[in-house]
Amino acid sequence: MKKTKVLITGAGGFIGHHLVKFLQNKGYWVRGVDIKKPEYEKTTAEDFKLLDLRTREKALKAVTGVDEVYNLAANMGGIGFIETHKAEIVHDNILINMHMLEASRLARVKKFLFTSSACIYPGYKQKSADVAPLKEEDAYPADAEDGYGWEKLYTERACRHYMEDYGLRTYSVRFHNIYGPLGTYDGGREKSPAAICRKISLAKTVDEIEVWGDGLQTRSYCYIDDCIEGLYRLMQSGFHEPLNLGTDRLVTINELVDIVAGIAGKKINKRYDLAKPQGVRGRNSDNTLLRQVLKWEPQVSLEAGLKRTYEWIKEQLTKQG
Ligand code: NAD
């Protein structure tokens, strides 16, 4: 039987690289596209092209001959990066997303998935650490995270327009803090779980690490395997509105540090740097719609996911010497 051909943009990145392997295991033929190769292990994609998707010509080349597109490519990083590179982020990502949508339409792609973010939710709904979980409809009236969040929200709308006006079957998923092995853990683009695992791995048996903010800000975290499973399930569904994908277990950054310290078997004290960016005060995912649409919800506990992540980061740091 002829294999369905999929394109994964951002296949050199964290989620894209995991997705390549997952879809191949499901029997798909996979083309990966990125401006860089995966950093920590070789790609297994049948075809891997180095292309800068900020141009129309490269986007057209990327979609040639594929049936489905998972558009993950983005210039992004943790809070330290997105708060200090707004112009670069909106410039690059709007170009990537518009060219990829238009190229997919012209190539008569059957399905197009866009990876949005919990950063699209309004600031006024995230002012306290014990926030109510965010439902999809809470996105409006809009007051997204300035820069990255607005770009994601705008592209969600562009997906809807391409579906309504041209019949391109689009899907938009709002990720809530995805973490796991093979994710960036240093260099300035890393997110909180990876940064905390790195700091604790480098710490002595009894030590102190720096925490951004007062540690009482809250988030929910989703392990990479659950993220990939959720993405796949969404692409098999007939649901075309934006959908949350995350867990609904709210933890403080302090709790995150304590869990990782427990995994490492170290006694870690916290030194708070209130000058560092913290993002919103609290953010959680309401998974009512996710359960209904996907007939499933994330399965991996924070403790189990962090253990795998910590072990992987420790191994990388040991290799670096
Ligand atoms: P990542 O940074 O590891 O992967 C993104 C990839 O896109 C990188 O490999 C990068 O080189 C590539 N890219 C950037 N500019 C490009 C260009 N001009 N042309 C081609 N490729 C380009 O990030 P990730 O964590 O794997 O995120 C994947 C997607 O999910 C992104 O769209 C991101 O915004 C979204 N997302 C991720 C999270 C998370 O917690 N990781 C949360 C919300 C949304």
Side-chain angles (χ1 to χ4, degrees):
M1 209 176 72
K2 212 173 135 240
K3 286 188 174 185
T4 302
K5 293 189 169 186
V6 302
L7 164 65
I8 301 173
T9 73
F14 167 47
I15 301 172
H17 179 69
H18 281 275
L19 187 59
V20 169
K21 294 187 277 185
F22 179 93
L23 290 179
Q24 286 180 310
N25 282 336
K26 292 267 182 207
Y28 290 84
W29 179 96
V30 178
R31 174 181 299 143
V33 164
D34 204 296
I35 42 169
K36 63 171 180 64
K37 290 186 179 156
E39 204 172 333
Y40 308 112
E41 66 180 29
K42 275 192 160 169
T43 186
T44 53
E46 277 84 357
D47 182 19
F48 191 92
K49 293 191 191 311
L50 286 172
L51 297 172
D52 183 343
L53 296 170
R54 289 173 297 184
T55 70
R56 178 183 166 92
E57 178 209 344
K58 300 289 166 45
L60 286 168
K61 191 166 179 186
V63 298
T64 309
V66 301
D67 304 299
E68 299 178 8
V69 173
Y70 289 77
N71 184 39
L72 276 66
N75 185 350
M76 60 96 64
I79 191 73
F81 181 79
I82 64 171
E83 286 208 354
T84 51
H85 295 76
K86 291 180 186 173
E88 186 184 307
I89 286 172
V90 296
H91 173 269
D92 290 0
N93 296 349
I94 285 293
L95 286 176
I96 293 171
N97 294 330
M98 288 306 117
H99 287 313
M100 284 305 303
L101 270 170
E102 180 64 4
S104 300
R105 170 180 88 87
L106 292 171
R108 299 184 187 282
V109 159
K110 295 188 188 78
K111 297 182 187 181
F112 180 96
L113 178 122
F114 168 61
T115 48
S116 185
S117 165
C119 288
I120 63 94
Y121 285 111
Y124 60 79
K125 290 255 178 199
Q126 306 174 81
K127 285 196 181 303
S128 69
D130 61 346
V131 286
L134 292 157
K135 287 189 184 0
E136 286 76 0
E137 70 216 38
D138 290 331
Y140 298 96
D143 173 25
E145 189 272 332
D146 199 14
Y148 178 70
W150 274 108
E151 169 264 307
K152 291 289 189 194
L153 192 61
Y154 178 75
T155 305
E156 285 185 3
R157 298 187 76 87
C159 286
R160 205 184 74 199
H161 300 319
Y162 267 73
M163 175 137 171
E164 287 173 356
D165 292 0
Y166 299 131
L168 174 63
R169 273 150 71 199
T170 61
Y171 301 81
S172 293
V173 63
R174 293 176 182 159
F175 290 150
H176 289 251
N177 299 307
I178 314 302
Y179 72 97
L182 304 170
T184 305
Y185 60 88
D186 62 4
R189 286 183 187 248
E190 64 276 19
K191 312 259 177 64
S192 51
I196 289 166
C197 286
R198 184 197 69 233
K199 288 177 188 178
I200 294 183
S201 179
L202 293 170
K204 297 192 273 295
T205 313
V206 179
D207 211 338
E208 184 179 88
I209 65 162
E210 183 188 273
V211 171
W212 290 11
D214 62 6
L216 296 173
Q217 64 273 38
T218 53
R219 295 289 185 278
S220 66
Y221 295 92
C222 179
Y223 188 64
I224 183 69
D225 292 1
D226 282 330
C227 163
I228 301 292
E229 177 72 31
L231 269 188
Y232 182 69
R233 283 178 181 251
L234 178 60
M235 272 292 248
Q236 311 318 307
S237 79
F239 189 79
H240 299 284
E241 297 295 321
L243 186 71
N244 281 335
L245 179 48
T247 70
D248 52 9
R249 176 175 167 195
L250 195 66
V251 291
T252 63
I253 296 294
N254 284 334
E255 284 168 325
L256 198 63
V257 172
D258 292 343
I259 295 171
V260 178
I263 291 165
K266 298 183 181 181
K267 179 164 178 5
I268 300 294
N269 294 312
K270 304 161 194 104
R271 182 177 68 253
Y272 299 107
D273 187 343
L274 302 181
K276 289 279 169 36
Q278 304 168 44
V280 292
R281 189 63 178 158
R283 175 182 290 156
N284 198 4
S285 174
D286 183 308
N287 284 349
T288 312
L289 193 58
L290 176 149
R291 282 190 286 269
Q292 202 182 309
V293 172
L294 304 186
K295 315 265 181 291
W296 166 91
E297 66 186 309
Q299 304 288 310
V300 181
S301 73
L302 187 57
E303 285 76 7
L306 282 174
K307 185 165 174 13
R308 291 178 218 165
T309 309
Y310 178 79
E311 297 300 343
W312 180 78
I313 290 176
K314 188 175 151 198
E315 196 188 312
Q316 302 310 302
L317 292 168
T318 310
K319 274 195 223 154
Q320 278 174 20

